[in-house]
Amino acid sequence: SGLSERLSPPVALRHLFCRRVVCRRVKERSHLGRESRSLRPLPPPLPHPRPLQAMEALLNFSQPLDSDLLDRCVRSVYEGTPAERDQAQRVLTQLQERINSEDASAALNWFRVDLILEQGTNPHTKFYALQILDACIKYRWRTLPREQCEGIKNFIVNLVIKLSSDEVTLRGQKLFISKLNLILVQVVKQEWPHNWPSFIADVVNASKANETLCENNMAILKLLSEEVFDFSRDEMTSAKAKRLKESFNADFSLIYQLCDFIMEHSQKPSLLLMTLQTLLRFLNWIPLGYIFETKMVEKLVYKYLPVPMFRNDSLACLTEIAGLDIGPAYNSHFEQLFVIVTTQLATSLPSDTNFAQVFESGSEEDARFIQNLALFYTTFLRPHLAIAEKTATTQPKLLDTALMTLVGISRVEDMEVFKICLEFWNHLASDLYSSECGLTPAANPTLLLAPQPGMGGITPGGAAPRRQLYAALLSKVRLVMISRMAKPEEVLIVEDENGEIIREPMKDSDAITLYKTMRETLVYLTHLNVDDTENIMLEKLAMQVDGSEWSWNNLNTLCWAIGSISGAMNEEDEKRFLVTVIKDLLGLCEMKRGKDNKAVIASNIMYVVGQYPRFLRAHWKFLKTVVNKLFEFMHELHPGVQDMACDTFVKIAQKCRRKFSMLQVGEQMPFVEELCLNLPSIISDLEPSQVHTFYEAVGYMVQSQADPQQREALLAKLMELPNQMWQDIMAQAGQDINVLKDQGLMKNIVNIIKTNERVVVALGHPFTPQLGRLYIDLLNVYKAYSEMINTAVQTGGQYATSTSAVRGMRAVKRETLKLLESYIERSEENEVILHKFVPPLLDPVLGDYVRSIPEARDPEVLSLFTCLINKLQSQMTPEVPRVFEAVFKSTLDMITNNFEDYPEHRMNLFNLLRAINQHCFPALLNSSENFRLIVESIKWAFKHTERNIAETGLNTLYELFNNVGKSQVGSEFYSTYYLSLLQDIFSVLTDTLHSPGFKLQSQILAHMFMLVESKAITVPLWDAATVQATDNSTYLRELLSTMFIQSFPNLTPPTVKRLVDGLFDTCRDQVAFKQHLRDFLVQLREFGGGEELYLDEREAEQARKAAEVQKRQEAVPGIINPHAKPDEMNDL
């Protein structure tokens, strides 16, 4: 009946492969719908076939396809020897590419997909054939004759019906039928509704004949809904996606009647499950009347939710409904949904259910149910919290049951489940805080948000009843947050899988993100009730001290939570609370024995004190005690303790810097002076990298000294030790230059330079006197090592650069360049840089770079001169030719052989080129040959698949167009480079590997078309000797039309004309131009690729949301980590 009756049997294939034509080669761009060329994973292999014959014969299209040979070739991919496997894979890949590049109709006539699918026995070969057919339908359907399209459609439909009508076949060939379903959906996307208007009716009618067929038809409808509504944005033109959605909506009544009939009458579990899963895909787009004005919700709740087999899928459907945010008109329906679901769940879930235990020991379906339960309540309550609160007035237990269920699920150890709950707790706490803040004065919000003595929990304005509604719940949530607090980024000491305390090997980005959300949530919860948060934390700390709950994990989570609420209390409460916490932690450190125990406690002390700079600034003696304790930890050799002590010291120094440079009451000298006197003993046990961090911290203290003379004196004291070491080394080198070859001495030089570089970072421009002491010596050392490296290379060839001696010399050179770059970035006197620093720099650095072999050139040279040009801008224009001559051509030779070698040189060279173009453009016009090289280099840059390099190239090109437009060389530039640049931009635009650059590509193209459309280009773009044209616009339209037709044979001339006209018509409107380009790219690939075409909109939306979050967080005391705030000197 229905679909099976309507379609002719495989008369098959007279229509599918009726046309025999001679195969002709069509040059088709490889980027038209790039696909993976590898075979997909398939079922276990069949028994080994007879020996492999000459597989190359498969590539001979002049002979009929040898299906047996194809079978053996495919088998060899899975069962052959390594050599046979490689050969078979290569042949199959070449065969697929050949078929994709031939005339589609002729290729399918030769490669008989129908015979392979109907008569073949090897499932691997069938999948390979389906892969060929899938590519043809996706990308080349419109090039097939109409009767062949009908034949393919009829064949696929009949084969699907044949295989899915039998229960045994449907289960036994599930993977194959799933692939066939996908193929059929691709056909439907091409044919429906214009060539197949009755598709939905055919599917529905066919489904009534056979429950097994009906089950597969529901799977097809599910796939089609996903393709049209979930994935259409990037894979169809906007007009086509709109047309398909309208067709789906117009015919949905038939689909709904089928789903309703199945849910009402079917007894087949697998069909009911598939119907529920298909319905789930429909719920986010179908007309609301089908949801709220039918019995759908009641059936889901009362018929399917209580049945264990169906509860997960029915709950997923209810979750999709719960997430609809459609305005107040349907509030009563949502209220009813909340009431009946919660009431129904209460009958099957005891109030004392231990969700954590059930999740751990129950079945996989139980775990899924708990996760789906969390999803339902969080999805419902986020947009409809007010509706749920309304039910509390008539049925108070419902909201309490729902929220306590979420609290119980929040204790589940699974991190994904916890994140679901956490997002809701964050929303609830934020919402409560916002509603409370809106009704209280802005001044000192902490005091008013916390319950006030004598007020009985009531605050002015009547906000307390809402907070009171959640009071008991929020206390439990605080306990969960404190007990499960994630590890902050600052903590470097962790427990490994063996239960040992180690230094964290690498940052856990997921844990850092989780911590930020938990921190924000706990800050809101603290504002809502400071006393409760404090009591929970102090009670848990007391249990750590008395040993009743002692464990590393318990102490860690508690201390991480304590550190996370910095700024959420008023200063008096914070002082009282923090003094208690630090005293207990210090006592615990004295009490516990064992290095691991002490390391854990030490890391927690350091983290907590580092998070409260406001308290430390207000209490000098406590600050001094804390810093001295950090100095003690710097002698502790347990892995990670010293690192964390140095990192904490830097953070405290940044936020409390002025306290250290001032003379405090009861002190004989400022702390920083005392520190400089004792510095050698403090750093005696630190590793070099830790010493560098320590010097940076002290640099912040020195920087806070306002008096320039005192600051310079402090700097001299701080740098006394490294300066003395430097002078000793220079004295030895003055007597015998060969001492610089000593590898131990090289390491000392590197450490001295790194120490200076870290102090530059902290001190900024006031570092000038110190650099002045070293500068000439630094350049001399740089020059000496350059000569030694060149001598070594002359003796040992390029392999000499990999020896430890040369690596050590290059390390000195690199660190020298980094030191100079750090200083130049922070310098405030451009004239001094230009006249004092640049002249001595050019010969040692540039001369060495151009003389060195490629393997010995340092990319930091390019970075340094980029920094100089960005700093001095047009003042560097006279020096650009010399820089260009030294580094540009030599580096270009290194990187133009491929896209991979010398990645740092690549990025730095293109950054340098962009800086010159931005600030010293006139210098680029001195030589037409050099300018040609620059344009070619920009092209080379934006052809890279590495995103940063490609974006740098595109940005440089756009800025170059702007500079040329303002200069006198515009006409010459356009006549020479316009057409080649246009072709290259279209080349990367139509290559899916360059999709991330779509925003800049479209911006450049719009500008280029605008230049022609507005007649800003006055010179002819064509060659008058060979081409006759009237104006640039007409010529360019004809040129582009020819280029598109030759490059993309799947486009018809009328389609190309619309595309080209649209490029000119929309170039003044960037939004419309981008949408036109997106549709153009989708038409090139039909339904393929395009996943990055909306990337810039997504990034802009993310940036907008991030800005909103930042603004909201800045209004809440304590939300922003104290170390993430900008330093405000008046607060120091």
Side-chain angles (χ1 to χ4, degrees):
S1 80
L3 192 59
S4 57
E5 293 175 359
R6 177 179 174 276
L7 296 173
S8 58
V11 158
L13 297 182
R14 284 203 310 270
H15 296 296
L16 178 57
F17 308 115
C18 61
R19 294 168 62 93
R20 276 263 183 220
V21 296
V22 178
C23 296
R24 60 183 175 84
R25 293 291 291 176
V26 176
K27 290 184 180 179
E28 196 165 8
R29 298 293 287 266
S30 63
H31 47 257
L32 281 182
R34 290 177 187 260
E35 284 191 304
S36 172
R37 301 300 187 189
S38 59
L39 295 174
R40 60 178 291 168
L42 294 172
L46 298 174
H48 195 71
R50 66 179 184 268
L52 190 66
Q53 298 178 1
M55 292 181 281
E56 302 290 339
L58 287 173
L59 302 177
N60 184 0
F61 280 21
S62 63
Q63 298 296 323
L65 176 69
D66 185 340
S67 56
D68 289 338
L69 179 58
L70 177 65
D71 250 2
R72 295 196 299 277
C73 186
V74 173
R75 285 178 189 274
S76 296
V77 173
Y78 298 91
E79 303 171 11
T81 64
E84 291 173 338
R85 189 180 305 123
D86 291 342
Q87 184 187 8
Q89 183 68 68
R90 178 176 53 79
V91 169
L92 291 173
T93 301
Q94 289 179 1
L95 178 59
Q96 188 170 4
E97 291 173 348
R98 283 282 304 276
I99 292 173
N100 288 342
S101 65
E102 298 291 342
D103 173 78
S105 176
L108 288 179
N109 285 333
W110 179 81
F111 191 84
R112 297 293 299 272
V113 176
D114 58 323
L115 295 181
I116 295 172
L117 296 182
E118 288 195 319
Q119 300 175 13
T121 58
N122 185 351
H124 301 69
T125 309
K126 290 185 177 182
F127 273 104
Y128 180 74
L130 286 177
Q131 195 174 11
I132 300 286
L133 184 59
D134 185 50
C136 177
I137 295 171
K138 280 182 178 179
Y139 309 123
R140 307 174 70 190
W141 184 260
R142 294 180 185 177
T143 67
L144 297 175
R146 184 68 246 160
E147 59 181 356
Q148 195 169 13
C149 292
E150 287 293 328
I152 293 174
K153 180 179 76 174
N154 294 345
F155 170 72
I156 294 297
V157 168
N158 283 314
L159 187 58
V160 169
I161 290 172
K162 175 184 174 182
L163 295 176
S164 61
S165 296
D166 179 69
E167 181 77 22
V168 175
T169 306
L170 182 64
R171 305 299 167 212
Q173 299 190 41
K174 185 176 181 180
L175 191 61
F176 180 64
I177 294 174
S178 296
K179 180 62 177 176
L180 274 177
N181 289 343
L182 286 169
I183 298 285
L184 179 57
V185 168
Q186 296 299 337
V187 173
V188 172
K189 286 161 60 179
Q190 299 282 13
E191 294 286 282
W192 179 59
H194 53 288
N195 289 328
W196 197 355
S198 61
F199 165 71
I200 296 293
D202 292 342
V203 170
V204 170
N205 290 332
S207 300
K208 296 176 182 177
N210 181 313
E211 279 195 312
T212 306
L213 176 61
C214 180
E215 181 180 336
N216 191 62
N217 285 350
M218 295 304 290
I220 292 170
L221 290 173
K222 181 178 99 171
L223 286 172
L224 184 60
S225 176
E226 291 172 343
E227 290 286 327
V228 173
F229 288 94
D230 298 336
F231 309 133
S232 63
R233 185 179 185 187
D234 291 336
E235 298 185 349
M236 300 183 201
T237 63
S238 53
K240 184 157 193 173
K242 180 181 178 183
R243 187 166 65 249
L244 288 176
K245 290 176 182 179
E246 289 172 349
S247 300
F248 230 136
N249 272 299
D251 291 339
F252 185 74
S253 61
L254 296 174
I255 300 174
Y256 176 76
Q257 290 168 14
L258 176 63
C259 293
D260 187 62
F261 182 84
I262 294 169
M263 293 172 68
E264 187 67 39
H265 298 100
S266 178
Q267 300 297 316
K268 186 179 181 184
S270 61
L271 174 57
L272 289 169
L273 282 173
M274 181 55 68
T275 303
L276 289 172
Q277 292 165 11
T278 303
L279 184 62
L280 175 63
R281 296 298 184 272
F282 296 154
L283 288 171
N284 66 347
W285 60 265
I286 62 175
L288 296 175
Y290 288 110
I291 299 174
F292 296 115
E293 296 171 18
T294 64
K295 298 294 183 182
M296 180 190 295
V297 173
E298 285 79 2
K299 284 180 183 176
L300 289 171
V301 174
Y302 294 124
K303 185 172 183 179
Y304 292 102
L305 185 58
V307 182
M309 179 184 296
F310 303 122
R311 66 181 180 180
N312 277 313
D313 290 301
S314 58
L315 196 55
C317 291
L318 292 168
T319 301
E320 193 69 39
I321 297 171
L324 297 172
D325 192 2
I326 49 180
Y330 288 88
N331 280 1
S332 60
H333 294 284
F334 283 111
E335 182 178 349
Q336 179 67 11
L337 173 67
F338 179 70
V339 169
I340 63 175
V341 171
T342 304
T343 304
Q344 180 63 43
L345 288 170
T347 62
S348 56
L349 289 174
S351 58
D352 60 348
T353 301
N354 187 332
F355 290 99
Q357 184 178 349
V358 172
F359 192 95
E360 183 67 27
S361 58
S363 66
E364 186 176 339
E365 286 299 304
D366 291 334
R368 275 187 61 211
F369 177 68
I370 291 173
Q371 182 168 348
N372 287 334
L373 191 58
L375 280 170
F376 171 78
Y377 277 128
T378 57
T379 303
F380 181 90
L381 292 172
R382 280 179 70 100
H384 308 302
L385 187 60
I387 296 173
E389 289 175 356
K390 180 182 174 184
T391 64
T393 58
T394 54
Q395 302 181 64
K397 288 189 176 181
L398 287 179
L399 180 59
D400 184 63
T401 299
L403 293 173
M404 293 309 294
T405 297
L406 279 179
V407 171
I409 297 175
S410 298
R411 297 190 176 100
V412 170
E413 288 299 320
D414 184 85
M415 194 50 64
E416 294 306 312
V417 174
F418 177 69
K419 286 178 183 177
I420 294 169
C421 301
L422 174 62
E423 288 179 5
F424 172 70
W425 298 131
N426 181 269
H427 170 79
L428 176 63
S430 172
D431 183 60
L432 286 172
Y433 176 84
S434 299
S435 64
E436 297 284 344
C437 266
L439 298 170
T440 55
N444 206 356
T446 305
L447 294 175
L448 290 169
L449 280 171
Q452 302 301 303
M455 293 178 63
I458 305 297
T459 57
R466 186 164 183 244
R467 190 176 62 211
Q468 208 167 29
L469 175 66
Y470 295 103
L473 167 85
L474 293 182
S475 184
K476 290 181 170 59
V477 176
R478 288 184 191 98
L479 185 58
V480 171
M481 292 294 116
I482 293 168
S483 302
R484 300 199 60 173
M485 180 59 67
K487 185 182 77 65
E489 186 176 6
E490 294 88 343
V491 176
L492 304 178
I493 296 170
V494 295
E495 183 179 356
D496 67 6
E497 63 272 12
N498 300 318
E500 297 178 355
I501 296 300
I502 62 169
R503 189 192 191 286
E504 186 179 33
M506 64 178 65
K507 298 290 184 185
D508 185 344
S509 55
D510 287 341
I512 293 170
T513 303
L514 181 66
Y515 168 76
K516 289 178 179 177
T517 306
M518 294 186 73
R519 181 183 185 282
E520 181 179 322
T521 305
L522 192 54
V523 168
Y524 284 130
L525 292 170
T526 302
H527 279 296
L528 290 167
N529 193 330
V530 174
D531 292 342
D532 188 51
T533 304
E534 182 179 343
N535 290 338
I536 292 172
M537 288 179 171
L538 292 180
E539 285 174 10
K540 291 183 75 65
L541 182 58
M543 293 176 187
Q544 293 299 304
V545 174
D546 66 25
S548 58
E549 284 192 2
W550 162 257
S551 76
W552 293 341
N553 181 65
N554 289 344
L555 180 65
N556 285 338
T557 53
L558 173 61
C559 291
W560 298 341
I562 290 171
S564 72
I565 62 169
S566 169
M569 299 179 177
N570 64 56
E571 289 200 47
E572 284 302 313
D573 289 341
E574 185 176 273
K575 175 185 175 182
R576 184 191 69 253
F577 171 67
L578 199 57
V579 167
T580 303
V581 168
I582 298 300
K583 283 184 177 178
D584 283 353
L585 287 175
L586 289 173
L588 196 60
C589 191
E590 296 298 324
M591 182 193 316
K592 292 294 180 181
R593 294 290 176 263
K595 282 186 173 292
D596 283 349
N597 286 335
K598 288 186 177 294
V600 170
I601 300 170
S603 75
N604 284 310
I605 292 174
M606 289 186 283
Y607 173 67
V608 170
V609 297
Q611 292 301 107
Y612 285 87
R614 181 178 67 175
F615 170 79
L616 296 177
R617 285 195 297 268
H619 302 85
W620 164 248
K621 289 190 176 181
F622 202 91
L623 172 59
K624 183 179 179 182
T625 302
V626 164
V627 172
N628 285 327
K629 192 67 178 178
L630 290 177
F631 293 164
E632 288 182 27
F633 291 145
M634 289 178 190
H635 297 284
E636 173 57 60
L637 301 183
H638 196 287
V641 174
Q642 291 175 309
D643 283 317
M644 196 166 172
C646 292
D647 290 348
T648 305
F649 183 46
V650 166
K651 291 182 176 179
I652 292 177
Q654 284 178 307
K655 294 299 177 182
C656 307
R657 62 183 78 177
R658 182 163 292 175
K659 297 297 177 183
F660 296 108
S661 63
M662 295 168 56
L663 181 62
Q664 301 292 336
V665 176
E667 303 289 345
Q668 297 180 349
M669 65 179 71
F671 183 84
V672 65
E673 294 185 21
E674 181 182 342
L675 187 155
C676 289
L677 292 175
N678 300 320
L679 191 145
S681 62
I682 296 172
I683 65 173
S684 59
D685 290 325
L686 297 180
E687 295 294 323
S689 62
Q690 297 160 349
V691 171
H692 306 152
T693 303
F694 186 92
Y695 268 87
E696 179 185 350
V698 185
Y700 288 115
M701 300 178 187
V702 174
Q703 186 267 342
S704 69
Q705 174 56 255
D707 183 85
Q709 293 182 341
Q710 292 187 37
R711 185 172 58 224
E712 187 172 341
L714 282 175
L715 178 60
K717 289 182 181 178
L718 172 62
M719 304 305 295
E720 188 174 310
L721 187 60
N723 283 347
Q724 185 59 53
M725 292 175 63
W726 180 260
Q727 289 169 11
D728 292 344
I729 293 171
M730 291 302 101
Q732 294 177 49
Q735 295 176 3
D736 181 5
I737 193 68
N738 289 319
V739 300
L740 294 178
K741 295 180 180 179
D742 180 78
Q743 294 193 27
L745 188 138
M746 289 182 203
K747 291 180 180 178
N748 288 338
I749 294 176
V750 166
N751 286 327
I752 293 170
I753 297 173
K754 283 185 174 181
T755 300
N756 277 273
E757 196 272 336
R758 296 299 288 273
V759 176
V760 170
V761 170
L763 201 58
H765 181 72
F767 185 78
T768 303
Q770 169 65 13
L771 184 59
R773 297 186 185 99
L774 306 178
Y775 188 58
I776 299 301
D777 285 342
L778 277 172
L779 295 181
N780 288 334
V781 170
Y782 187 97
K783 190 173 182 179
Y785 278 129
S786 298
E787 292 171 355
M788 292 177 188
I789 292 171
N790 288 334
T791 301
V793 169
Q794 289 171 6
T795 304
Q798 70 180 54
Y799 299 107
T801 58
S802 60
T803 63
S804 58
V806 172
R807 287 204 307 269
M809 296 174 191
R810 293 190 64 193
V812 173
K813 292 173 62 180
R814 282 197 303 271
E815 294 306 324
T816 301
L817 295 168
K818 290 178 183 177
L819 169 61
L820 298 180
E821 183 175 341
S822 295
Y823 172 74
I824 289 167
E825 281 180 352
R826 294 162 179 81
S827 173
E828 298 170 5
E829 296 181 358
N830 286 1
E831 291 296 327
V832 173
I833 295 293
L834 182 63
H835 298 296
K836 300 291 185 183
F837 280 83
V838 171
L841 183 71
L842 296 178
D843 184 62
V845 175
L846 294 180
D848 167 63
Y849 189 89
V850 75
R851 288 190 296 268
S852 299
I853 63 170
E855 290 77 12
R857 290 175 183 153
D858 298 309
E860 289 80 9
V861 172
L862 304 171
S863 180
L864 173 63
F865 281 94
T866 302
C867 176
L868 269 171
I869 291 171
N870 285 328
K871 185 71 174 179
L872 302 180
Q873 299 187 1
S874 60
Q875 291 176 296
M876 274 293 288
T877 301
E879 304 295 343
V880 166
R882 186 174 178 186
V883 174
F884 190 89
E885 192 65 30
V887 304
F888 189 75
K889 293 179 182 177
S890 55
T891 309
L892 210 56
D893 291 338
M894 295 165 55
I895 67 173
T896 49
N897 292 325
N898 54 50
F899 289 113
E900 290 83 31
D901 293 344
Y902 306 105
E904 289 183 77
H905 292 78
R906 283 174 196 276
M907 192 70 243
N908 291 351
L909 178 67
F910 294 128
N911 284 333
L912 174 61
L913 183 57
R914 186 180 182 190
I916 294 173
N917 180 51
Q918 284 178 320
H919 305 301
C920 308
F921 177 70
L924 299 181
L925 307 178
N926 292 337
S927 165
S928 59
E929 179 59 25
N930 284 346
F931 191 80
R932 184 190 65 79
L933 269 179
I934 289 166
V935 174
E936 293 302 320
S937 300
I938 293 172
K939 290 181 183 180
W940 185 249
F942 66 66
K943 289 179 181 178
H944 279 71
T945 54
E946 206 285 315
R947 181 174 177 178
N948 289 335
I949 296 177
E951 285 191 357
T952 301
L954 291 169
N955 278 311
T956 306
L957 178 59
Y958 187 70
E959 291 157 3
L960 180 65
F961 268 112
N962 290 329
N963 287 336
V964 166
K966 301 172 188 175
S967 71
Q968 303 298 316
V969 299
S971 296
E972 183 181 354
F973 173 81
Y974 297 137
S975 63
T976 307
Y977 300 110
Y978 182 93
L979 293 180
S980 64
L981 285 169
L982 184 68
Q983 185 173 359
D984 286 325
I985 291 294
F986 269 113
S987 175
V988 294
L989 175 76
T990 53
D991 186 344
T992 54
L993 295 178
H994 290 87
S995 294
F998 176 75
K999 176 184 177 182
L1000 288 169
Q1001 294 159 8
S1002 64
Q1003 191 175 356
I1004 291 169
L1005 285 174
H1007 181 77
M1008 295 181 76
F1009 283 109
M1010 173 72 81
L1011 290 173
V1012 172
E1013 192 69 1
S1014 64
K1015 302 189 186 310
I1017 300 178
T1018 56
V1019 295
L1021 296 175
W1022 65 91
D1023 182 359
T1026 58
V1027 178
Q1028 292 183 348
T1030 56
D1031 60 77
N1032 285 330
S1033 178
T1034 304
Y1035 169 70
L1036 197 57
R1037 289 171 194 262
E1038 294 175 356
L1039 183 69
L1040 287 174
S1041 297
T1042 303
M1043 183 176 76
F1044 290 157
I1045 288 173
Q1046 290 177 348
S1047 300
F1048 311 114
N1050 57 321
L1051 298 181
T1052 61
T1055 301
V1056 169
K1057 186 177 186 307
R1058 285 196 303 273
L1059 291 173
V1060 173
D1061 289 344
L1063 294 172
F1064 286 89
D1065 295 341
T1066 60
C1067 64
R1068 299 175 189 275
D1069 182 345
Q1070 185 64 38
V1071 175
F1073 186 82
K1074 282 165 61 177
Q1075 185 58 53
H1076 182 73
L1077 277 183
R1078 289 190 184 105
D1079 288 347
F1080 164 62
L1081 293 175
V1082 170
Q1083 284 180 292
L1084 294 187
R1085 296 185 290 267
E1086 285 297 327
F1087 293 89
E1091 63 277 357
E1092 300 289 345
L1093 298 184
Y1094 286 87
L1095 182 64
D1096 55 306
E1097 277 85 351
R1098 294 185 186 119
E1099 290 179 345
E1101 179 65 12
Q1102 290 171 357
R1104 183 188 64 78
K1105 290 181 178 179
E1108 289 179 357
V1109 169
Q1110 179 74 11
K1111 184 176 180 181
R1112 173 172 57 83
Q1113 290 178 339
E1114 288 174 353
V1116 183
I1119 283 289
I1120 297 179
N1121 188 307
H1123 300 293
K1125 296 178 181 179
D1127 295 335
E1128 299 175 4
M1129 293 305 295
N1130 60 350
D1131 191 37
L1132 299 180

